[in-house]
Amino acid sequence: QTFIVGITGGIGSGKSTAAHFFEELGIPVYNSDTRAKVIQNEDETVKSKVIQVFGDEAYTKEGLNRAFIAKQIFNNKEKLNALNKIVHPAVFLDFENWKKEQNSKILIKEAAILIESGSYKDCDAVVSVVVDLDKRIERTIARDQSTKEEVLKRINNQISDEERIAKSDFIIDNNADLKHLKNEVEKTYFQLKEKFSL
Ligand code: ATP
C-alpha cells in the first residue's frame, strides 16, 4: 500500500520549501500547482474544453492566456467552477499516472488549494505549513518583489489557516529559520511513519 500525504499552506507559508525537505528524506513529491500549469498549457483535451468555455482568446502561442482567464473568472463563480471542473480531474489523473511510476511507501502531493479543491479527501494524511501573517507577507514580498497590497489580496482570496488546520492531521510551524523547518519536517516524517505503521 502507498500512503498519500497532502501538504498545503497559504501563500508564502513555505510549503514548497517543506516539500523540498521531504524530498531530501527520499520521499517523492508531486507539485500539483506546477503540473496544473503544464496540463493547462499542453493537454489537448483540457485545451479544447477550456476553449469551449472561454473562446479562442483563452490561448496564445505561449499557452494559456492567464491574464484573460483571470479577468473572465474574476467575480464569475460559474466560469471559475467550469474551469475547475476541467482542470481538477485532469490533475487527479496526472497524479494517478505519476503515482504508478513511484516506488515509495509514502508519496507527497503538494498543493496550494489542497483543501479548496477537495483533493485532501484522497489523502491518507494532510499536513499544513503555518506561519504568522506578518512573516508570510514579508517573505512573499521578498520572494516575488510584490507589494503588500498584492500579497494581501492573494491571501484574502484563500481560505484561512483556521480552516486549513481544521482539516489537517499534522501542523508544521515555519515561524523560525530554515533549520527549524527542516527539523519540523523530520519530526513530521517520523509521525507519519508511526501513523501508517511503517
Ligand atoms: P506559494 O504558495 O506562494 O508558492 P510556498 O508556501 O510554496 O508559497 P515557499 O516558496 O516555500 O512558500 O516560501 C516562501 C518564501 O519564504 C521563499 O522565498 C522561501 O525561501 C522563504 N522561506 C521559507 N521558509 C523560510 C524560513 N523558515 N525562513 C526564512 N525564509 C523562508
Side-chain angles (χ1 to χ4, degrees), residues 38-50:
V38 173
I39 289 165
Q40 290 177 71
N41 284 335
E42 295 174 8
D43 186 300
E44 291 304 331
T45 315
V46 167
K47 279 168 79 171
S48 72
K49 284 182 186 166
V50 170

Side-chain angles (χ1 to χ4, degrees), residues 10-17 139 143 154 174 176-178 181:
I11 289 155
S13 58
K15 59 188 165 299
S16 291
T17 312
R139 287 175 188 171
R143 186 194 58 186
R154 284 162 65 195
N174 188 23
D177 60 9
L178 290 171
L181 176 62

Side-chain angles (χ1 to χ4, degrees), residues 136-147:
R136 280 171 62 194
I137 294 168
E138 198 179 289
R139 287 175 188 171
T140 309
I141 290 174
R143 186 194 58 186
D144 299 345
Q145 267 114 53
S146 49
T147 65

Side-chain angles (χ1 to χ4, degrees), residues 179-195:
K179 193 166 168 262
H180 176 263
L181 176 62
K182 192 175 170 166
N183 227 23
E184 287 278 296
V185 167
E186 283 169 9
K187 208 171 76 189
T188 306
Y189 178 48
F190 283 115
Q191 289 171 330
L192 286 165
K193 286 204 286 192
E194 200 166 32
K195 179 179 170 72

Side-chain angles (χ1 to χ4, degrees), residues 120-182:
Y120 74 96
K121 291 177 194 154
D122 302 319
C123 296
D124 299 291
V126 173
V127 177
S128 280
V129 182
V130 174
V131 183
D132 293 347
L133 202 57
D134 52 341
K135 270 198 195 120
R136 280 171 62 194
I137 294 168
E138 198 179 289
R139 287 175 188 171
T140 309
I141 290 174
R143 186 194 58 186
D144 299 345
Q145 267 114 53
S146 49
T147 65
K148 188 171 180 178
E149 285 72 47
E150 280 165 356
V151 177
L152 277 173
K153 217 162 93 182
R154 284 162 65 195
I155 286 175
N156 289 331
N157 261 325
Q158 296 189 322
I159 60 166
S160 66
D161 270 349
E162 286 68 33
E163 288 170 275
R164 256 182 229 110
I165 289 167
K167 299 266 191 302
S168 300
D169 302 284
F170 300 100
I171 307 297
I172 287 182
D173 171 83
N174 188 23
N175 277 298
D177 60 9
L178 290 171
K179 193 166 168 262
H180 176 263
L181 176 62
K182 192 175 170 166

